[in-house]
Amino acid sequence: MWPPRRIAGESLLSVVLALLAAGSGALTGGGTLQIVGIALATGVLSPLRRVLPATVLLVSVVGSDVFEGLAPLALVAAWSAGRRIAGAGRATVAFGLAYVLSLTATILQALPQFSVPLSVFAALWLLGTVIVPGLAGRYWVQRRTLLNTLREYNAQLLRERAMIAGQARLRERQRIAQDMHDSLGHQLALISVHTGALEVDRELTGRQREAVGVLREASVAAMHELREVVGLLRDGTQAPGPEAFSPATAAGVPGGPVAAAGTEDAAVPSRGVAGIEDLVAASRGAGTAVELRRSGEPRPLPPTADHAAYRIAQEGLTNAHKHSRGASITIELRYEPDSLVVEVANGPAPAPADGGRSVVSGGQGLTGLGERTRLIGGMVHAGPTADGGFRLAGVLPYTSPEGGAPGPAPWGEATPFVDPTGDFRRQIPAGPLGEGDPVIYGSGLPKELARAMSRNNRSSGIAIGCGVAALIALLLVIAAVVGLFVFVGEADKGMIEPRKYDEVKVGQSEAEVRKRLPDGSSFLTEGLEKGAPPVPQGAECLSLNSTATGSSWDREPVFRFCFKGGKLIEKKSFEVRT
């Protein structure tokens, strides 16, 4: 089925060609039935050229020799046939047959007065009206096919390059994960072992044992977080099991209290919104006044947003402990209609941290939070408050940027880097505005490559178009020059000036008159007998065109000389309808 736009365009084209055919038929003096028939045939053949290009080409080109109203359709059919006839061989046969049949019909119509100049002119005319439009249409469709092929080829190269880059990233992430596992995991396990040993030391006071317990729990929590990070870096590959970071395994202790201290993996603390209460409890246990507020109806979050909420609360508490020691802290969880707002605010510090000494800070925590929330479609704001405190707030959407809440991939199942059945543009990572990567255009090509191809296509298209236009113009100029020479030669054979007509007198000998007049063997003298006065009985007449203009645009002046018995017995001047 054709789309509405094509149906409207084809209907408009059919109407225009039918009107041109009807107008041409009216100008040539055709009857009403003939004009209507040609207009209807043109309107029917115009849309059929899309499904029967060769047939419509032959009918329109050959028919235009008999009915001039089909000439505009012949031009359109030649262009369309050049685009739609499959195979160079079939196109050559179709255009060659149309050319030969049309040229043959033109020559047959000129008989019995055949002339070589007329045949040359007809051949050049058909070359410009049939072959040249067909070649232009053929070039256009081949160029478009070539460009589409090049775009597909470049898109395939980009897909392969993206896959190779993805595999390289996976290998590098696995290497980093292995390094973190081998270095940090071992050190954290040693910290956990030693703090576990200190915790059971009988010489410690209750306060010291409590502080050592906090250190041991912190080291265990750090090991759990390290395992999560390693699992994320490995992108779905098998993450190390609990025994990988077991303090007992790292220290070589087979059992006892020390081993038990490192095997608390069964009670893994939550790293989502539910784990914020544990953070608050830990801070209160350290002697800090922390208040946790909730508002709104709790709603589920995607795993990434849930983890980001935990990290925002953790970062806010950490910064408050470091920079505003002793200040009260408020954590607020507000469930808005479309997002969760996590806010951590603290008042001004009662005294400078560490007695005025500067606190070491890498300045990377807030930057990492901003990147984490940006990737899930949220945002983070941090800044001082009016009372001299500090406020950290994050807005986390309830749905992921993809429109769902995907869970983490199971351990041991590799996540495919690209979907082999998906569209290439869907395989491009989303940018910060939810659109495709800004260096990629909608066609799936890099910006530089797309611009280069656009410039090259435009330049090459202009150059080739100018070349084709120049070739067509050259052919038309050649045809015009040849036609001019042919017309001048034919005019010398079939036209005279009015003064020569006046110089000839009735009664002069036939030989003398013919010597002063052209022989009339020209295609310009064809059809001059139609509408002419009756020929004298037994006379032989010579009809010639006049160089003067007729009384109207559709009338042509004619001079006729009639001979009988070797003398000029009559000369007449009249007009015939062209």
Side-chain angles (χ1 to χ4, degrees), residues 169-171 173-175 177-178 227-241 408-416:
R169 285 196 298 268
L170 288 178
R171 288 195 297 268
R173 289 166 64 171
Q174 291 176 0
R175 185 190 65 80
Q178 187 64 40
R227 184 163 63 248
E228 292 178 3
V229 173
V230 169
L232 292 175
L233 283 175
R234 293 191 174 183
D235 195 23
T237 58
Q238 180 64 44
W411 285 357
E413 295 184 8
T415 303

Side-chain angles (χ1 to χ4, degrees), residues 271-273 300-312 340 342 372-373 376 396-400:
R271 302 301 175 208
V273 175
L301 291 168
T304 51
D306 195 35
H307 189 66
Y310 179 85
R311 290 303 184 193
I312 292 173
L340 169 64
V342 181
R372 182 190 296 270
T373 55
I376 61 176
L396 307 173
Y398 294 134
T399 58
S400 63

